[in-house]
Amino acid sequence: MAKVVAVIGASNDRSKFGNRAVRAFLQQGYTVIPINPHENEVEGLKAYKSVLDVPGTIDMASFYVPPDVGEQVMNEIAKKGITEVWLNPGAESDRLIRHAQALHIEPIIACSIVAIGQDPYAF
């Protein structure tokens, strides 16, 4: 079964990495859940305001938001029980990493698009 990934900060701006990630994960066969409180849909997919609004389980979350926004979202990630969390370049901070660890989440500090074998600049 396809892994379910929440793209935190999914965007309709195709030049933003929050959009490139949605397209990259889709191309790799993932079930993609866009998370953005300001969008109703991204790339034709229903967008949710929070991971807590998503029915069912989410296997991983990939962050494309500033660290201060990420701190608020991390609490929701912990409540939802998402254990695989990627902090992409620009989304990480020492404070956010400590916050995640305090919630028993060990974030992966790397580009999730590259990790799934895609070139983030190819989208």
Side-chain angles (χ1 to χ4, degrees):
M1 191 165 92
K3 219 174 191 185
V4 178
V5 58
V7 176
I8 312 298
S11 171
N12 276 310
D13 181 341
R14 295 190 113 211
S15 69
K16 291 193 169 187
F17 288 99
N19 178 282
R20 293 173 190 217
V22 169
R23 291 183 282 140
F25 280 111
L26 283 172
Q27 189 176 46
Q28 289 294 315
Y30 286 75
T31 298
V32 180
I33 314 266
I35 305 294
N36 186 325
H38 309 292
E39 302 283 7
N40 291 320
E41 66 173 45
V42 174
E43 294 294 319
L45 302 170
K46 177 178 173 39
Y48 293 86
K49 294 189 183 327
S50 162
V51 293
L52 298 176
D53 297 333
V54 178
T57 58
I58 298 171
D59 300 307
M60 67 182 275
S62 189
F63 280 58
Y64 292 92
V65 292
D68 58 328
V69 175
E71 285 185 48
Q72 299 161 18
V73 175
M74 198 63 72
N75 293 323
E76 297 171 0
I77 294 289
K79 280 184 191 154
K80 185 74 175 169
I82 302 167
T83 54
E84 185 178 340
V85 175
W86 291 75
L87 299 179
N88 292 278
E92 83 287 2
S93 73
D94 290 343
R95 184 173 155 163
L96 177 57
I97 293 165
R98 283 193 304 274
H99 183 64
Q101 291 168 335
L103 294 168
H104 307 290
I105 295 168
E106 194 58 53
I108 300 159
I109 316 302
C111 178
S112 62
I113 299 173
V114 171
I116 61 169
Q118 296 290 309
D119 175 356
Y121 296 98
F123 291 91

